[in-house]
Amino acid sequence: MRNLLASTSSLLVLGLLTAAPAAAQTHTDGDQADADVIVVTSQPLGVTADEVVGGVEVVNRRHLEDNLSGSLADTIAHEPGVSTTYFGPAASRPVIRGLGSDRVRVLVNGVGLIDASTNSPDHAVASEALEAESVEILRGPAAIAYGGGAIGGVVNVIDGRIPEERVEDGLDGRFYASMTSVDEGETAAGRVRFNAGEFVINLEALTRTADNYDIPGYAESDLFRLFEEAEHEHEDEDHDDHDDEDHDHEEEEHPYGTVENSRLDFSSASAGISWVGENGFFGFAVKQSDALYGVPGHAHAHGEDDHEDEGEDHDEDHDHEDEEHDHGDVRIDLEQTRYDLRGEWRDLGEHIERIRFSFGVGSYEHVELEGDEVGTRFTNDGWEGRLEARHTPVELWGGSWEGAAGLQAFNRDFEAAGEEAYVPPSETSDWGLFIVERWDRETWGLEGGLRLETRELDTPTESRDFDTQSFSGSVFVRPMRDTFLALTLSSSERAPTDVELFADGPHVATRSYETGNPALDVEKALSAEITARTTIGEWGLEGSIFRADYDGFIASFPTGEEEDGFPVYEYRQEDAVLSGFEGRIEGPLGSVGVFDLSGELTGEYVRGELDDGGNLPRIPPLSFTAGVTASTARHDLHLEAEWADVQDETAVEELKTQSYVLVNARWTMEPFDDRGMRIVLEGRNLTDQEARVHTSVLKDLVPLPGRNFRAALVLDF
């Protein structure tokens, strides 16, 4: 498999060298498209971004490169309504409106990743930001189009591995390279695409490496250290033979200035080929991904367990184990091979406008290494397919009626074996049928959808099956030009996952002993959302207000007991409410000399409450980001400040997270008119402030990076 990576990388380098002389003649800039021509492909009807009835964000390739921050989730976390599970720089998953895990689907070209990222927050997502040509973010329930696993939203990576169109000048490509100071990181990615008769071939490769990253202070939060010191004092009182010198030594061991075991080494390579005709395309691609990364905080949990097990009567053995532990950090060695088929046919007759399909097969494996020894092995072999058919628009009752129907299905065979196999082997099969229709009379219109889904989960000892139904209805109006208002009501249902049903064992990543509940029922949500987009003069405004009432929200709750040195958390269902808003305002601020000034303000807020009292865990706080950009023909200077409020509306056993302000600056320049070259110089967290992400399980052990400088070179041809 690694030979595939080397071979494809060699082909990519060869393509880049071959294309270099033609770069100046073939460069085109398609990244500056206006919002009114951006079609949201994740929406079955292919509606433009400013006409979608719910919250949506389309992040283009240039924006991803300018805001690159390691993983896919961390790169898009600055978008309104989006946060990250931040389990260090390697393993992060998107959180949308306070919901993550199996409530937010991360897709590639409309189908699942076939990885293990939903099973545990320390499992990396098998997709990188630099692999994307664009990323579409659907905020709020997307269960109609993508099933119960999208009850919180969708992040769809459009990667272009299977070309849909012919290359205009016969050959094009892109190359990105960067270095970062905070972790001595190096990233390189490239793509070459060219015509070969009636076929189009696409070759890509990527590598991302980094060392342990720097932080401005202690890795552990102040509150965490206070609680830890209180526990040590209590142990001192109970054990007269515990001397003060040992206690002082423990205090000195708090990690400072660096997040230990946060190194990473990611690489991927892919090759795709498509037949492209006048009315469609059909293509195939193969992709190989490899990763080796440290799991910060994982060793800390083991260390506590070892300390309790050894006791005070084995000081010499304990010291010896500590020495070994320093050289036995927990790492994850990940490997995935994926094959994809995609195609589309248009203008198929009087009644069918388009048929599109995607099908992916993946073989995923990762092992958790303790030193050089294999602790636990995770495998996930599966497939997912999606078929959509859109009927030809018809005139009805003075308006245009269009719609689409489809089928989506997946199967995954998941197994964990070893010391931390807290879930049994399981097979999950899911089938769904959906239909979405829209009637548009220009000044107002209606949209509705229905999805029927069935899921079966089987383990060697137990089986469960679930039937779910989700439906939605929207009314939208255009009271004036460039103004769009929509009200959406939806009922969404989500079947429990294998972890929620069958977990039984210590889960070191979440520092808990998790017990599933095979009697769990379907999770149901009634949601209401108001979406508004308008312009006032040259300023654009958009925002959403939402509320979701959950009947039987599934979550893990503390029982107050301990098992294997961990607090016991059990999965059960409670009624809950999530509500909040997100918004964006942007527009021109005038001119200063040769610079045109523009400004942007974004904000978001989520409140998660249990009906019986208390708060849902890991809900992001109120936050705002304000930015100013000064632009000329060749230069963009951007300065922004990110503010996050203190989060003290916490769940049981959850510590509050302090407020922070991050100041970032970026200088982007295009030194030549026709060479397709761009240079990005960026500074993040310029004031070197300690910042912690409340949506992270490791927030009290792993802060965000300190002051960081990035230099990047982008070449288009």
Side-chain angles (χ1 to χ4, degrees):
M1 294 181 180
R2 295 182 187 272
N3 290 335
L4 172 65
L5 177 63
S7 300
T8 309
S9 301
S10 300
L11 287 172
L12 179 57
V13 172
L14 178 61
L16 285 169
L17 293 174
T18 304
Q25 289 76 29
T26 61
H27 169 64
T28 59
D29 185 7
D31 294 324
Q32 302 300 323
D34 294 331
D36 58 355
V37 296
I38 297 176
V39 176
V40 182
T41 61
S42 303
Q43 218 267 6
L45 300 180
V47 179
T48 57
D50 58 348
E51 297 279 308
V52 175
V53 295
V56 64
E57 198 77 37
V58 180
V59 186
N60 64 33
R61 183 175 53 196
R62 176 165 181 155
H63 192 73
L64 291 169
E65 292 166 346
D66 286 351
N67 294 275
L68 187 67
S69 183
S71 69
L72 170 66
D74 296 339
T75 298
I76 64 173
H78 66 283
E79 300 296 334
V82 183
S83 186
T84 169
T85 59
Y86 196 70
F87 209 96
S92 296
R93 213 171 185 278
V95 174
I96 298 179
R97 294 179 176 176
L99 298 175
S101 189
D102 195 57
R103 295 184 180 90
V104 172
R105 292 215 68 190
V106 182
L107 309 171
V108 56
N109 304 309
V111 294
L113 296 175
I114 315 176
D115 59 12
S117 62
T118 59
N119 287 81
S120 180
D122 61 335
H123 297 172
V125 171
S127 183
E128 290 282 300
L130 286 176
E131 294 173 344
E133 294 193 342
S134 67
V135 176
E136 298 178 348
I137 304 168
L138 303 183
R139 298 186 293 261
I144 302 301
Y146 294 102
I151 199 170
V154 164
V155 174
N156 189 18
V157 177
I158 311 299
D159 65 8
R161 285 184 291 121
I162 297 177
E164 299 185 17
E165 300 176 347
R166 295 182 62 78
V167 181
E168 183 176 349
D169 295 307
L171 172 70
D172 70 17
R174 196 171 186 85
F175 176 76
Y176 173 96
S178 69
M179 300 179 66
T180 50
S181 64
V182 75
D183 54 6
E184 298 181 0
E186 297 179 354
T187 300
R191 172 181 63 79
V192 172
R193 186 176 296 162
F194 55 91
N195 298 332
E198 295 184 345
F199 295 91
V200 182
I201 296 174
N202 187 84
L203 302 174
E204 297 184 18
L206 176 146
T207 178
R208 178 164 69 98
T209 63
D211 205 340
N212 295 333
Y213 69 86
D214 298 332
I215 54 177
Y218 288 103
E220 298 167 353
S221 68
D222 292 342
L223 279 177
F224 185 87
R225 295 200 313 277
L226 285 174
F227 276 94
E228 196 173 51
E229 290 169 4
E231 289 181 1
H232 285 317
E233 290 176 3
H234 181 69
E235 290 176 3
D236 289 346
E237 293 174 0
D238 293 341
H239 300 87
D240 294 333
D241 57 338
H242 187 83
D243 58 63
D244 291 337
E245 290 183 4
D246 287 343
H247 180 72
D248 292 339
H249 179 65
E250 289 179 5
E251 287 183 342
E252 294 172 358
E253 288 182 345
H254 291 300
Y256 185 91
T258 303
V259 172
E260 299 173 354
N261 198 31
S262 57
R263 297 180 179 89
L264 61 88
D265 186 349
F266 280 64
S267 60
S268 66
S270 67
I273 183 171
S274 283
W275 171 86
V276 180
E278 292 185 2
N279 294 320
F281 72 94
F282 178 82
F284 168 80
V286 57
K287 177 187 174 185
Q288 173 67 37
S289 301
D290 296 275
L292 178 64
Y293 62 91
V295 183
H298 201 294
H300 188 97
H302 276 300
E304 288 181 352
D305 193 29
D306 291 343
H307 179 73
E308 291 174 4
D309 291 343
E310 293 299 322
E312 310 303 331
D313 296 329
H314 299 85
D315 288 339
E316 292 182 4
D317 291 341
H318 183 76
D319 292 340
H320 178 65
E321 288 181 0
D322 281 347
E323 292 176 4
E324 290 183 348
H325 189 76
D326 290 339
H327 301 282
D329 289 333
V330 176
R331 298 169 297 153
I332 287 181
D333 191 353
L334 180 156
E335 188 176 278
Q336 185 194 49
T337 303
R338 179 187 175 104
Y339 305 93
D340 285 275
L341 286 171
R342 292 181 58 228
E344 177 179 296
W345 290 268
R346 298 179 293 272
D347 302 326
L348 295 175
E350 182 179 355
H351 302 293
I352 304 298
E353 182 182 61
R354 187 194 77 178
I355 292 179
R356 172 185 287 255
F357 81 91
S358 299
F359 184 80
V361 179
S363 178
Y364 172 95
E365 179 183 48
H366 87 240
V367 294
E368 295 188 354
L369 302 170
E370 299 183 11
D372 294 325
E373 297 182 1
V374 175
T376 309
R377 184 182 303 273
F378 294 84
T379 60
N380 186 21
D381 296 326
W383 57 265
E384 181 166 346
R386 180 179 180 87
L387 176 68
E388 290 181 12
R390 186 190 303 171
H391 68 70
T392 304
V394 297
E395 295 299 317
L396 179 69
W397 300 325
S400 176
W401 177 30
E402 58 182 333
L407 164 70
Q408 187 161 15
F410 73 80
N411 178 274
R412 77 166 200 162
D413 191 353
F414 177 80
E415 183 175 359
E419 296 178 0
E420 296 178 18
Y422 70 102
V423 287
S426 64
E427 182 178 0
T428 303
S429 297
D430 193 287
W431 292 79
L433 294 169
F434 65 89
I435 183 171
V436 180
E437 298 290 332
R438 179 172 172 132
W439 177 74
D440 192 339
R441 200 176 177 177
E442 293 188 357
T443 57
W444 69 284
L446 302 170
E447 182 174 312
L450 171 68
R451 184 183 183 99
L452 304 177
E453 193 166 7
T454 182
R455 174 175 291 187
E456 296 181 4
L457 299 100
D458 298 300
T459 74
T461 59
E462 297 181 88
S463 297
R464 288 294 309 274
D465 61 86
F466 302 90
D467 294 321
T468 59
Q469 303 86 36
S470 299
F471 57 89
S472 67
S474 303
V475 57
F476 57 88
V477 297
R478 303 182 184 91
M480 63 187 74
R481 183 176 178 178
D482 296 329
T483 298
F484 183 87
L485 306 174
L487 169 65
T488 301
L489 302 176
S490 62
S491 173
S492 305
E493 297 185 347
R494 181 183 74 91
T497 66
D498 53 347
V499 174
E500 294 165 338
L501 290 167
F502 308 123
D504 186 14
H507 189 185
V508 179
T510 59
R511 304 170 61 79
S512 63
Y513 189 102
E514 295 186 12
T515 59
N517 183 353
L520 290 175
D521 202 352
V522 169
E523 177 182 278
K524 302 177 181 179
L526 292 175
S527 306
E529 179 174 351
I530 298 175
T531 302
R533 303 182 187 94
T534 189
T535 58
I536 300 177
E538 296 181 277
W539 283 77
L541 297 82
E542 61 176 317
S544 299
I545 301 172
F546 60 88
R547 177 186 171 98
D549 287 75
Y550 281 83
D551 179 7
F553 187 91
I554 302 172
S556 59
F557 297 92
T559 66
E561 301 175 352
E562 281 198 6
E563 187 77 25
D564 291 349
F566 291 100
V568 176
Y569 280 70
E570 65 176 3
Y571 284 96
R572 66 172 189 264
Q573 295 185 275
E574 299 282 351
D575 294 343
V577 176
L578 282 102
S579 57
F581 68 85
E582 70 252 345
R584 183 198 306 272
I585 304 172
E586 57 185 347
L589 295 173
S591 300
V592 176
V594 298
F595 290 97
D596 294 325
L597 303 182
S598 61
E600 180 182 49
L601 175 67
T602 64
E604 60 188 85
Y605 174 73
V606 182
R607 182 78 173 96
E609 301 175 276
L610 297 170
D611 285 6
D612 292 337
N615 302 304
L616 290 174
R618 294 181 292 281
I619 298 298
L622 173 69
S623 64
F624 288 95
T625 300
V628 176
T629 303
S631 301
T632 68
R634 293 185 179 178
H635 300 271
D636 288 316
L637 303 175
H638 181 75
L639 178 67
E640 69 177 20
E642 303 176 33
W643 172 79
D645 196 8
V646 62
Q647 180 56 289
D648 53 10
E649 295 171 339
T650 56
V652 177
E653 302 293 336
E654 188 178 49
L655 299 178
K656 76 174 183 178
T657 303
Q658 299 297 335
S659 175
Y660 62 83
V661 176
L662 300 180
V663 178
N664 309 314
R666 183 178 64 248
W667 177 18
T668 305
M669 67 188 86
E670 298 183 22
F672 306 106
D673 289 333
D674 55 359
R675 297 291 181 90
M677 176 185 291
R678 192 155 50 90
I679 298 171
V680 181
L681 301 176
E682 182 185 41
R684 286 180 178 266
N685 191 7
L686 293 176
T687 60
D688 205 25
Q689 181 165 6
E690 180 180 308
R692 299 179 186 274
V693 180
H694 190 78
T695 48
S696 170
V697 174
L698 285 187
K699 71 179 185 69
D700 289 302
L701 299 176
V702 179
L704 291 175
R707 184 185 296 112
N708 182 31
F709 296 100
R710 174 173 65 111
L713 172 67
V714 184
L715 294 175
D716 279 306
F717 57 87

